[in-house]
Amino acid sequence: MDQDKAQQYIEALQEHFKRTGRCPIKEDFHKDLYGIKRHFGNWTNALKAAGLQYTRKKEYSKEQLKKTLLDYYAKYNKSPRTVDCSRANGLYAPVFYLNTFQVKTWAEVLTAVGLGFYQVWKPSVDDLKQALLDFEQQHGKLPGTKDCTTANGLPAYETILKAFGVSSWQEVIKKIGLKPNRTLNPSIAQVKNSLLNFYVKHKRAPKASECLKANGLYSKNIYYKKFGVKTWTAVLKTAGLDRFTLKSPVTEDKNKALKVLLQFIKKEKITTEKQYKLVYKKHQLPSTAYINQQFGGWRNLLKKAGLWSDVDKKKLINAIIEHYKQQGKSPTMDELAKRLQITPDRIHTAVGNYNQFLQWLGMSKNKEFTNNLDLTKEEVKRRYIELSNRYCFPNGATVKATKQLKGMPSYRTIINHFGSFTALKQACGYTRIHMLKGRFTKAELLMLLKKEYLKYNRRPTTKEINSNKELPNQASIKKFLGVRSLADVWIRIEKKL
């Protein structure tokens, strides 16, 4: 143990006590927590070394806790939930109640103090009928699912359905003796006509977000249900509206669309598809999908506009030789593109692999790779094992080492032969050690996650887990525990609570 570093930690703890007048907690030293634990073993030992007394959390008697719950029930006429456990409501954290009453669930806590589990949210059918009728008389309208709030004196919409034993709100309205509103059930012809009317009016097909009564359209779910499809594209095809040809009024006539596109491309001097994608919506022009479908791709459109011509190889070779005479080296693809005033993509289209083309001309490659790509698979394995032993990597050299150490096969060579770095290590006989092994056992990691769950009294979010310095990040936890989702871990923890 580094005595000087340990003494610095002790002095920092004592100074914090003098400044604040209280014993420091872990959150006060979250940046140095890992170093303190490495030197002293745990937080309690660090406090003892600094001459400070560890103060436990305050304990409450059963009578005190019972009184807080009964006071809450008397004030709000309902049993408290775990979400309601806050100082503002005169309640303590749920952990105090669970530990003091020695139970595992909140329902058992409420039963121990003589309260039913959320009594106010389980009214009788008669009470619900009266509450719904009172709402109808008071507001002069039938109650809807959005009106089911405590502000209106009604429990949740799902609670009412469960109490009446029905599956829809219309059946609830019938059971309380009121007539439900007329349900909207248009025919397939009406649904199809609404889409066609929109097209005639706006000269384009409607979007799913425009399915509003103000636009003369029904809800998008009605279209899905009537046509028996799951996507909006399928809805438009069923109605005879193609999503490519009807995106813009320009695309009604192919010749007209071509004329407008050529004028726009020449005027704005657009040479790449990326540039076009940024502006076509603003100018109400056809999409790139329409261009590929009708004109055979972006390059054919540029050829028709006179903005694309195949690169002459003779001019290309002359430009390379001229650059070599002036600079004394072969040009890069970017330098050659600037000289010829074209894009590098057009050079690649004309000659293929640029370095191979330079070698064909009798020139050296413009950029030599640091490692030989012609190494065989066995040579890569032999060199990797030899250098891993030389540089003291008992479980094989890391990715970072292969990029920095001389003589190592390049990462690109490894991927070409083995597909992944892990596959190389396994082929060389090295075992894959997870980054969390040695820091935790599975039981210890689950215990830390359980503490995090009790801290928030709910499932922590990804942001909350990643902000905890004691825990690894969420992705590492899932890999270490062998689960696809942390929901599986939380379910296991909730069963043990």
Side-chain angles (χ1 to χ4, degrees):
M1 183 173 71
D2 188 354
Q3 295 294 335
D4 294 336
K5 193 68 176 176
Q7 187 60 33
Q8 289 178 9
Y9 288 136
I10 290 171
E11 290 174 359
L13 291 168
Q14 291 173 345
E15 185 184 350
H16 183 278
F17 179 76
K18 290 177 183 178
R19 188 175 73 253
T20 61
R22 64 172 175 82
C23 188
I25 58 176
K26 292 179 184 179
E27 286 75 8
D28 297 327
F29 289 84
H30 65 277
K31 291 183 179 179
D32 301 318
L33 190 59
Y34 178 77
I36 291 172
K37 286 188 175 182
R38 190 160 57 85
H39 281 83
F40 299 101
N42 57 48
W43 183 253
T44 306
N45 291 343
L47 293 178
K48 287 179 181 178
L52 302 174
Q53 187 177 2
Y54 177 70
T55 54
R56 293 183 174 275
K57 290 182 179 179
K58 191 174 181 180
E59 296 181 355
Y60 302 97
S61 64
K62 285 187 178 181
E63 288 73 18
Q64 286 177 301
L65 296 176
K66 184 176 180 180
K67 186 177 182 303
T68 58
L69 295 171
L70 293 174
D71 290 344
Y72 182 92
Y73 183 81
K75 184 177 180 181
Y76 297 101
N77 194 29
K78 70 169 185 175
S79 300
R81 300 168 295 172
T82 53
V83 183
D84 301 321
C85 293
S86 63
R87 291 294 178 89
N89 293 327
L91 299 174
Y92 303 108
V95 178
F96 290 115
Y97 296 96
L98 295 172
N99 293 341
T100 306
F101 288 100
Q102 296 181 352
V103 293
K104 294 182 178 180
T105 64
W106 186 250
E108 291 174 336
V109 171
L110 296 178
T111 305
V113 298
L115 295 176
F117 190 55
Y118 305 145
Q119 290 178 0
V120 74
W121 300 111
K122 290 188 177 180
S124 65
V125 175
D126 294 334
D127 292 338
L128 286 174
K129 278 184 180 179
Q130 190 59 45
L132 291 168
L133 291 170
D134 290 344
F135 180 90
E136 194 269 338
Q137 290 179 357
Q138 184 178 354
H139 295 86
K141 67 167 187 172
L142 292 176
T145 54
K146 292 183 179 179
D147 299 319
C148 296
T149 60
T150 51
N152 293 326
L154 296 173
Y157 152 69
E158 293 84 359
T159 305
I160 297 174
L161 292 181
K162 198 179 289 185
F164 282 96
V166 294
S167 59
S168 70
W169 188 251
Q170 300 292 338
E171 294 176 37
V172 171
I173 299 298
K174 287 179 183 177
K175 288 214 169 191
I176 64 175
L178 299 175
K179 288 184 179 181
N181 292 325
R182 182 176 61 86
T183 55
L184 196 62
N185 188 23
S187 64
I188 295 178
Q190 289 176 315
V191 168
K192 192 173 181 179
N193 287 335
S194 65
L195 294 171
L196 295 173
N197 291 336
F198 184 94
Y199 172 70
V200 171
K201 183 178 180 181
H202 299 279
K203 299 296 181 183
R204 63 177 178 83
K207 301 175 185 175
S209 59
E210 294 174 329
C211 291
L212 303 170
K213 190 176 180 181
N215 294 329
L217 298 173
Y218 301 102
S219 167
K220 63 180 179 181
N221 293 325
I222 290 179
Y223 294 102
Y224 294 149
K225 186 177 179 181
K226 290 295 179 182
F227 292 136
V229 294
K230 294 182 179 180
T231 63
W232 187 249
T233 304
V235 168
L236 296 179
K237 284 185 178 179
T238 307
L241 305 175
D242 182 53
R243 72 188 183 101
F244 293 140
T245 56
L246 299 180
K247 267 199 168 183
S248 164
V250 173
T251 58
E252 291 178 5
D253 183 12
K254 182 180 176 180
N255 295 327
K256 180 183 176 184
L258 178 61
K259 186 178 178 181
V260 171
L261 280 169
L262 295 179
Q263 287 178 352
F264 179 77
I265 289 169
K266 289 177 181 178
K267 182 181 177 182
E268 301 294 333
K269 296 182 181 178
I270 294 175
T271 55
T272 63
E273 195 171 357
K274 285 184 179 179
Q275 293 174 338
Y276 181 75
K277 282 182 178 179
L278 296 173
V279 296
Y280 81 92
K281 287 184 179 179
K282 182 179 178 182
H283 296 277
Q284 295 185 346
L285 293 169
S287 66
T288 52
Y290 175 82
I291 292 171
N292 292 333
Q293 187 184 54
Q294 299 294 332
F295 306 115
W298 181 254
R299 189 180 298 177
N300 290 338
L301 188 65
L302 288 179
K303 285 180 179 179
K304 290 180 181 180
L307 299 175
W308 179 281
S309 59
D310 293 330
V311 179
D312 188 359
K313 280 192 178 181
K314 288 184 179 180
K315 288 184 179 179
L316 198 64
I317 293 169
N318 291 336
I320 293 172
I321 294 171
E322 187 180 345
H323 185 280
Y324 185 82
K325 289 178 179 179
Q326 293 176 358
Q327 305 292 334
K329 67 179 186 70
S330 56
T332 64
M333 192 181 285
D334 289 334
E335 289 172 345
L336 187 59
K338 283 183 181 179
R339 181 179 283 271
L340 296 173
Q341 296 182 350
I342 56 176
T343 60
D345 293 339
R346 294 181 63 185
I347 298 174
H348 180 74
T349 304
V351 302
N353 189 304
Y354 183 63
N355 277 337
Q356 290 179 3
F357 183 68
L358 289 177
Q359 287 180 326
W360 178 74
L361 291 174
M363 296 182 180
S364 61
K365 290 182 183 179
N366 177 259
K367 183 179 180 181
E368 294 287 347
F369 292 108
T370 54
N371 294 91
N372 189 3
L373 296 178
D374 298 328
L375 289 173
T376 63
K377 197 171 185 178
E378 292 301 321
E379 287 174 341
V380 171
K381 283 172 61 178
R382 181 188 58 76
R383 189 180 292 189
Y384 179 75
I385 293 170
E386 180 186 334
L387 294 170
S388 295
N389 294 334
R390 184 191 299 175
Y391 292 108
C392 301
F393 287 99
N395 196 45
T398 61
V399 177
K400 190 175 180 180
T402 59
K403 294 179 179 179
Q404 292 178 348
L405 297 176
K406 290 183 179 179
M408 282 281 186
S410 70
Y411 186 73
R412 181 179 174 186
T413 306
I414 293 168
I415 296 300
N416 285 346
H417 283 305
F418 295 93
S420 70
F421 197 78
T422 305
L424 169 65
K425 296 185 78 171
Q426 290 175 349
C428 294
Y430 296 116
T431 56
R432 185 184 178 191
I433 297 178
H434 197 278
M435 61 178 291
L436 297 185
K437 283 188 178 178
R439 287 182 59 193
F440 308 100
T441 62
K442 287 190 177 182
E444 289 172 345
L445 186 57
L446 286 170
M447 184 57 68
L448 287 171
L449 290 171
K450 184 179 178 181
K451 286 181 181 178
E452 197 72 8
Y453 184 93
L454 294 173
K455 177 182 174 182
Y456 295 102
N457 197 32
R458 58 173 171 78
R459 297 181 181 184
T461 62
T462 304
K463 188 176 180 181
E464 290 166 347
I465 290 174
N466 293 340
S467 65
N468 190 337
K469 302 298 181 183
E470 294 182 4
L471 285 172
N473 60 38
Q474 189 184 26
S476 300
I477 292 171
K478 287 192 290 188
K479 284 183 183 178
F480 187 58
L481 297 178
V483 294
R484 288 187 176 183
S485 171
L486 273 186
D488 300 332
V489 180
W490 298 131
I491 291 169
R492 195 189 312 173
I493 290 172
E494 287 168 350
K495 284 181 180 177
K496 293 181 181 180
L497 289 176

